[in-house]
């Protein structure tokens, strides 16, 4: 039973839950990027190039005389660049927000009762004529 309690405490910590949410969102984002590359970029940009090479899809783009399919690799490189650039923009935005929060000066603390009393004594001594 102690093992189950320890596992429950571990699994329900904030960091583990945040990681799980991040993985799920990352998988969904991957599907979006894959669709962007396969359904938009490939038909608009790569299909005309493939047609000039007398090919129908990227999987047919190979080095002549070999089994090396660099077309699929090219598609994955494009996907990676899109994901990396998007993550760069997200991290840059988060860092800019953190920097603005860090630059905001904290309000000076209110004087303590002791400091107030000392200021009153100082002011009283200033107002007395020199002896």
């Amino acid at each position: 039973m102690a093992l189950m309690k320890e596992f429950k405490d571990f699994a329900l910590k904030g960091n583990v839950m945040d990681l799980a949410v991040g993985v799920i969102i990352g998988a969904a984002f991957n599907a979006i990027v894959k669709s962007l590359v396969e359904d938009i970029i490939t038909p608009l940009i790569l299909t005309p190039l493939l047609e000039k090479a007398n090919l129908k899809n990227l999987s047919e783009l190979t080095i002549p005389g070999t089994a090396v399919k660099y077309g699929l690799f090219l598609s994955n490189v494009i996907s990676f660049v899109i994901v990396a650039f998007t993550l760069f923009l997200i991290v840059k935005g988060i860092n800019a927000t953190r920097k603005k929060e860090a630059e905001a000066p904290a309000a000076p603390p209110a004087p303590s009762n002791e400091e107030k009393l000392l200021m009153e004594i100082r002011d009283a001594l200033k107002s007395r004529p020199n002896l």
Side-chain angles (χ1 to χ4, degrees), residues 3-122:
L3 182 63
M4 290 302 289
K5 183 184 181 316
E6 187 177 343
F7 176 74
K8 180 182 172 187
D9 291 344
F10 167 77
L12 296 179
K13 280 185 179 177
N15 293 342
V16 174
M17 298 303 287
D18 292 343
L19 178 62
V21 170
V23 167
I24 292 168
I25 290 174
F29 184 70
N30 183 40
I32 292 170
V33 170
K34 184 177 179 182
S35 175
L36 173 69
V37 171
E38 292 177 359
D39 301 331
I40 296 175
I41 292 176
T42 298
L44 290 177
I45 299 171
L46 298 179
T47 300
L49 297 175
L50 290 172
E51 287 175 358
K52 288 182 182 178
N54 295 322
L55 302 172
K56 294 188 181 196
N57 61 36
L58 281 176
S59 63
E60 295 175 1
L61 194 57
T62 61
I63 295 176
T66 67
V68 177
K69 297 180 178 181
Y70 69 92
L72 296 176
F73 175 75
L74 185 64
S75 175
N76 288 328
V77 168
I78 292 169
S79 295
F80 171 77
V81 169
I82 292 170
V83 170
F85 184 70
T86 303
L87 288 176
F88 167 75
L89 293 177
I90 290 170
V91 170
K92 186 174 180 176
I94 289 171
N95 288 342
T97 302
R98 286 184 182 167
K99 185 177 178 183
K100 286 180 183 178
E101 289 174 1
E103 289 177 357
S112 66
N113 289 336
E114 184 177 308
E115 291 172 335
K116 288 179 185 178
L117 181 61
L118 288 171
M119 286 189 286
E120 288 175 14
I121 293 171
R122 179 198 62 202

